[in-house]
Amino acid sequence: MKFRFSHRLPPFAHTTIFNHHRIRSTSFFLRKLHSATKQARVSVNGSGSSSDSKGNPFLVPGATVATIFMLGALHARRMYSDKKIEDARESGIELELQPDVKAKFLAMLPLRSISRFWGFLSSTELPVWLRPYAHKAWARAFHSNLEEVALPLDQYASVKDFFVRSLKEGCRPVDSDPHSLISPVDGTIVRVGELKEGVMIEQVKGFSYSVSSLLGAGSFLPLMTAKDIHEEEGGQQENNNRDDSTKSWWRISLASPKLRESSSSRPMKGLFYCVIYLRSGDYHRIHSPVDWNILLRRHFSGRLYPVNERATSTIKNLYVENERVVLEGKWQEGYIAMAAIGATNIGSIELFIEPDLRTNQPRKKLLQSEAPEERVYEPEGTGVLLKKGDEVGVFNMGSTVVLVFEVPALKKHESSEFRFCVEKGDKIRMGEALGRWHDL
């Protein structure tokens, strides 16, 4: 019997060769990473002698691996949450408040410390050759548009630098209509509406939170007392009984050099709100929604719960509990406030108008809540003037912005002439109109 021998390699030989090449490529990657780390350490220390021997050669690689692992975990969590939310929407189910074990578990975690640690990791400088790969991985995981990035990817030294990136000029045109209020951020509309009795904003179906609690007890939110409402109702009835000829009287408003009609047809003010959620892949700079004067800043050192859609349906008073920075001021139509809500891994909220502000600092009181820190901007009564579209601040991860503002109204007992251009669930970009109104 003759045996035939194949000139081809057996299957296990291919596997052996493949593994050999994979080991060689892995070793090459590690040597390159270690070499880049050594060069970066030498450039920082100024020499490669004694200071180099004292450094930790695994600092940068360890931080890089931890960062990549964190990105993967965040991406997996986001995909799981988005799938459940999409399934609920397709079924026509609106989320309701349903506290669960996860919410109680989150309350026991040191989320502020975890967020500070994540801030340290994301701020770690990456080797130049690794930056494009890391930033492209982030963009692919969270659907960021790399065509809008202002600088080459290798010029963003860390994940944080890429996250708070600016955009190319012209990527976010600002609506030029003088009777429009624009979105201050890129994001998804969570809630819009008019503030009515109780001055509450709906968090989810069946549960609302107080605007005064969100903005602070010292807020100068324009609210009417029960006595004022009663007097206005009585005055409205009296004016309705007057002859139409009395409506021809004019009076001068001391607030502005314009002639206005009598109180029966004079434009009134309405209070409105808008809640916008920023995802991790969105553009994270905050801009001015209108021309306004920022009079006061109020910083609340609260918790750092996540603010995604699942969290809003499981945690009561989510936005009131979380750390936030509130800016209050005035614009041509009256009162306006903007609250930047922090979240897990987003304890850092930076203001370009106040670079010294530091958020997510270690608390002085562990068990008791701290009073908000306030700052009145100079000159008092005028504050900081910002134009529509000007940069205000930046989030260091995805989070939420809440706007509360006054707009013109037709009459005291009629809905405002202001109309939102968006509704719940719409995606919006900075500079696009949230709503419009017309001269009365």
Side-chain angles (χ1 to χ4, degrees):
M1 179 181 294
K2 295 183 179 180
F3 296 93
R4 294 184 179 180
F5 295 93
S6 174
H7 295 285
R8 293 179 299 177
L9 293 174
F12 66 86
H14 291 284
T15 305
T16 304
I17 294 175
F18 174 76
N19 290 336
H20 178 68
H21 284 292
R22 184 170 60 180
I23 292 172
R24 289 183 59 187
S25 60
T26 303
S27 301
F28 173 76
F29 174 80
L30 292 176
R31 288 197 304 271
K32 190 173 182 180
L33 184 60
H34 179 72
S35 176
T37 303
K38 186 175 181 180
Q39 293 176 4
R41 191 169 64 250
V42 169
S43 62
V44 172
N45 294 332
S47 63
S49 57
S50 59
S51 59
D52 185 37
S53 61
K54 295 179 181 179
N56 186 352
F58 298 101
L59 177 60
V60 174
T64 303
V65 172
T67 301
I68 295 174
F69 177 77
M70 179 70 75
L71 294 180
L74 289 173
H75 182 51
R77 185 185 67 175
R78 182 187 64 82
M79 292 181 61
Y80 174 75
S81 299
D82 290 351
K83 183 66 170 62
K84 293 193 67 175
I85 293 171
E86 287 298 326
D87 291 343
R89 284 177 179 172
E90 291 177 0
S91 303
I93 301 174
E94 185 174 357
L95 295 178
E96 299 182 6
L97 187 67
Q98 297 178 348
D100 58 6
V101 178
K102 179 182 177 181
K104 296 180 180 179
F105 176 71
L106 286 174
M108 297 185 294
L109 292 177
L111 296 178
R112 295 176 61 86
S113 299
I114 293 173
S115 298
R116 284 194 293 271
F117 178 69
W118 165 248
F120 167 76
L121 288 180
S122 61
S123 301
T124 302
E125 185 173 343
L126 300 175
V128 177
W129 65 269
L130 184 61
R131 294 171 188 175
Y133 300 102
H135 300 330
K136 286 180 181 179
W138 174 280
R140 184 172 183 178
F142 297 104
H143 308 292
S144 300
N145 188 355
L146 293 179
E147 295 181 357
E148 299 177 339
V149 177
L151 302 175
L153 295 182
D154 58 5
Q155 293 189 26
Y156 296 102
S158 64
V159 174
K160 176 186 174 182
D161 290 344
F162 176 74
F163 189 85
V164 299
R165 65 194 178 277
S166 58
L167 302 180
K168 293 179 181 177
E169 187 175 355
C171 286
R172 294 294 183 273
V174 176
D175 191 291
S176 59
D177 185 356
H179 298 107
S180 69
L181 181 141
I182 66 169
S183 173
V185 293
D186 284 13
T188 304
I189 302 298
V190 178
R191 299 280 172 181
V192 296
E194 184 174 4
L195 292 175
K196 298 182 179 179
E197 295 182 6
V199 197
M200 307 287 285
I201 296 179
E202 188 178 42
Q203 179 174 316
V204 290
K205 183 179 179 181
F207 183 81
S208 303
Y209 57 93
S210 166
V211 177
S212 298
S213 299
L214 176 72
L215 302 179
S219 169
F220 47 92
L221 183 72
L223 301 176
M224 298 180 65
T225 63
K227 180 179 179 181
D228 293 334
I229 295 175
H230 179 73
E231 290 178 354
E232 287 200 357
E233 288 178 349
Q236 181 69 23
Q237 293 177 357
E238 182 180 349
N239 289 332
N240 290 337
N241 294 330
R242 292 179 181 176
D243 188 76
D244 292 340
S245 62
T246 61
K247 295 183 179 181
S248 62
W249 288 94
W250 297 81
R251 68 178 184 176
I252 299 177
S253 172
L254 298 178
S256 59
K258 293 182 180 180
L259 292 175
R260 298 186 182 272
E261 294 185 41
S262 62
S263 59
S264 61
S265 59
R266 185 180 55 188
M268 302 301 296
K269 302 290 184 179
L271 275 174
F272 285 76
Y273 67 90
C274 178
V275 183
I276 308 174
Y277 170 63
L278 292 77
R279 299 184 182 275
S280 298
D282 290 331
Y283 170 61
H284 275 76
R285 298 203 173 197
I286 309 170
H287 295 250
S288 175
V290 291
D291 296 347
W292 63 313
N293 294 79
I294 303 178
L295 304 178
L296 178 142
R297 183 267 300 157
R298 192 175 292 112
H299 172 220
F300 296 81
S301 180
R303 296 179 179 273
L304 285 176
Y305 291 123
V307 292
N308 53 33
E309 198 161 357
R310 177 176 174 81
T312 58
S313 63
T314 57
I315 303 174
K316 289 185 177 181
N317 295 313
L318 177 60
Y319 302 141
V320 176
E321 290 283 343
N322 270 16
E323 180 156 3
R324 60 197 181 278
V325 173
V326 176
L327 299 175
E328 288 189 302
K330 58 183 180 181
W331 66 308
Q332 63 179 6
E333 303 299 339
Y335 174 82
I336 184 171
M338 181 164 59
I341 315 296
T344 308
N345 297 334
I346 315 103
S348 179
I349 303 170
E350 300 178 13
L351 293 181
F352 298 136
I353 61 175
E354 188 181 346
D356 296 335
L357 176 66
R358 295 291 181 269
T359 58
N360 191 19
Q361 297 298 305
R363 284 185 172 185
K364 299 178 181 178
K365 300 179 181 179
L366 297 179
L367 299 179
Q368 300 179 1
S369 58
E370 299 179 9
E373 176 200 358
E374 292 188 358
R375 175 178 175 179
V376 178
Y377 292 121
E378 299 292 339
E380 188 171 351
T382 302
V384 180
L385 174 62
L386 290 178
K387 296 293 185 180
K388 181 192 290 186
D390 287 350
E391 289 187 344
V392 180
V394 64
F395 284 118
N396 286 330
M397 266 297 257
S399 197
T400 301
V401 167
V402 180
L403 280 177
V404 179
F405 52 93
E406 274 187 296
V407 291
L410 295 176
K411 292 183 180 180
K412 295 184 174 85
H413 299 284
E414 295 181 7
S415 58
S416 169
E417 69 155 355
F418 176 82
R419 293 291 180 268
F420 279 107
C421 303
V422 294
E423 57 185 18
K424 178 183 175 182
D426 288 349
K427 292 185 177 181
I428 193 167
R429 303 204 305 177
M430 193 288 296
E432 296 178 346
L434 285 174
R436 302 183 190 275
W437 69 95
H438 302 282
D439 281 332
L440 295 174

